[in-house]
Amino acid sequence: MLLSKGKIGQTYNIKHVDGKEKIIKFLFTLGCFEGEEITLISKLAGNYVVNIKDSRYALDEGMAKSIEIEL
């Protein structure tokens, strides 16, 4: 399942990060990689606020669709 389909307030494990190399490298610098936990805090106007390693980030819809999560 993609992060863009996730439910607000849920914590998921990242299964895979896909997309262009530039997006993958950027997400990796945020700590977004396979096996890491990610919590979806909110969805507002196509922006997704997530919590990764005790830090909050805003991702656009394209990045959220690049993150595959496990239920």
Side-chain angles (χ1 to χ4, degrees):
M1 181 168 91
L2 300 177
L3 180 63
S4 60
K5 305 278 187 194
K7 293 184 181 180
I8 294 172
Q10 291 288 330
T11 299
Y12 301 100
N13 284 326
I14 298 172
K15 185 176 180 181
H16 182 70
V17 180
D18 198 18
K20 295 182 180 179
E21 187 176 342
K22 187 175 180 179
I23 291 173
I24 294 171
K25 284 183 178 182
F26 175 74
L27 291 172
F28 186 79
T29 63
L30 302 181
C32 183
F33 50 85
E34 293 178 26
E36 189 62 44
E37 286 189 347
I38 187 169
T39 304
L40 183 59
I41 304 296
S42 69
K43 298 179 191 179
L44 299 169
N47 291 315
Y48 295 76
V49 178
V50 296
N51 190 16
I52 305 169
K53 291 187 174 185
D54 297 326
S55 297
R56 288 190 180 192
Y57 303 102
L59 306 176
D60 66 11
E61 191 167 8
M63 287 186 199
K65 288 182 177 180
S66 297
I67 301 170
E68 187 177 341
I69 54 175
E70 296 181 39
L71 297 175

